[in-house]
Amino acid sequence: MTTDAARLRLFQLVSPALPVGAFSYSEGLEVLVQRGALPDAAAVQAWLQAELQRGAVAVETAALRHLQRALVAGDLEATTGWDGWLLAQREAPELRAQQRQMGQSLLQLLADLGWPLPPALAAAGLAWPAAFAWAAHSLELVSPAIEGAYLYGWVANQLSAAVRLVPLGPTQAQRLQLQLAEPIAERAEALAGADPRHLWSGAVGAGLAQLQHAELYSRLFRS
C-alpha cells in the first residue's frame, strides 16, 4: 500500500463520520462545564493537555501495539487480559459501557467491510482500544501514526463536546485542535515506545467527573 493510501485510510479511522457513536459522549466534560471548571477555551486546552499527559487515554494509547500483537496472533488470553486491564483504569461504569459500545460498533463495521475478528475474539465483547488496534491492523497502519490517530480522535471528540457545552465556537475549537497538533504528535511518539504497565493515570478529577455525570439533573450526553 502506498504512503498516500495509508494516509487516507488513517483519515477514515479518525473521521467524525465513523459510525461508532463517539459524538454522544462527553467523558465527564459536561459535569466540569456545569460546575464552572471549564469556562473558556484556555481552560479547555489546559484540561486536554493534562489528560494527554496523565489521563487514562495515554495508558490506552501505549497499549495499542500490545493489543494489536495479541489480536493478530489470535491470543484470546492476552487480548482479554489487556482489554480488562484497560477497562479497570476507567472508574465510571458509564464510561466502561461507552468503551464497550464504541468497540463493538467499530468491530461490527470492520466485519461488514471484510475484516472480521476470529470467532473466539469476536465473542469476547472487546472495548474501544482493542477495536481500534484491530482497525489499525486491518487498514495496514503503522506506529506512531496509530498512536497519533488514537489521541487525535479523542481530542477531536472532546472538542466536539466542548463546542456544545462551553462558550466555545467552532472556529475556536479548530484553533485549539491546531495548537494541540504538536503536543499530540510528541505524545504519540513517546507512547509508541512506552510500556503501559509502567505508566499511571493521574486523572482523578476526570474520574470523579465521569462518576458524577449519571447524577446530573439534566444532560446532553450519554456519559
Side-chain angles (χ1 to χ4, degrees):
M1 183 171 59
T2 67
T3 302
D4 287 342
R7 185 181 302 113
L8 291 174
R9 289 187 170 195
L10 182 65
F11 294 162
Q12 183 174 356
L13 189 55
V14 299
S15 168
L18 195 71
V20 296
F23 68 91
S24 61
Y25 300 104
S26 78
E27 298 193 18
L29 203 69
E30 189 166 13
V31 171
L32 296 169
V33 171
Q34 288 198 22
R35 192 185 297 163
L38 298 177
D40 52 31
V44 172
Q45 181 174 1
W47 175 261
L48 293 175
Q49 288 177 318
E51 286 292 292
L52 288 171
Q53 290 297 319
R54 297 183 292 277
V57 67
V59 181
E60 292 170 356
T61 302
L64 290 175
R65 72 183 186 282
H66 298 277
L67 279 163
Q68 189 177 79
R69 190 180 303 124
L71 287 161
V72 172
D75 189 335
L76 179 62
E77 182 178 358
T79 300
T80 55
W82 281 110
D83 184 71
W85 183 74
L86 290 173
L87 277 177
Q89 313 295 317
R90 300 291 195 168
E91 297 92 340
E94 290 83 7
L95 193 54
R96 294 194 293 273
Q98 170 193 337
Q99 295 285 79
R100 290 288 193 207
Q101 179 270 302
M102 289 177 55
Q104 290 303 294
S105 295
L106 180 54
L107 290 173
Q108 182 59 59
L109 172 65
L110 292 168
D112 292 342
L113 293 174
W115 293 299
L117 278 174
L121 291 170
L126 300 174
W128 175 246
F132 195 94
W134 182 249
H137 168 71
S138 301
L139 298 173
E140 301 179 46
L141 305 177
V142 297
S143 195
I146 298 170
E147 289 80 6
Y150 193 85
L151 294 175
Y152 177 93
W154 179 82
V155 167
N157 284 331
Q158 287 284 279
L159 285 174
S160 175
V163 167
R164 287 171 276 173
L165 292 168
V166 185
L168 185 72
T171 300
Q172 184 60 59
Q174 290 300 306
R175 185 175 291 113
L176 287 179
Q177 189 84 65
L178 284 171
Q179 291 170 345
L180 289 168
E182 191 63 34
I184 288 172
E186 292 174 357
R187 193 65 177 132
E189 187 78 33
L191 292 171
D195 186 338
R197 293 162 294 195
H198 295 164
L199 301 177
W200 52 274
S201 173
V204 178
L208 289 172
Q210 290 153 12
L211 285 166
Q212 293 164 2
H213 189 263
E215 300 174 359
L216 290 180
Y217 177 75
S218 63
R219 57 184 183 174
L220 292 176
F221 293 89
R222 293 174 60 184
S223 168

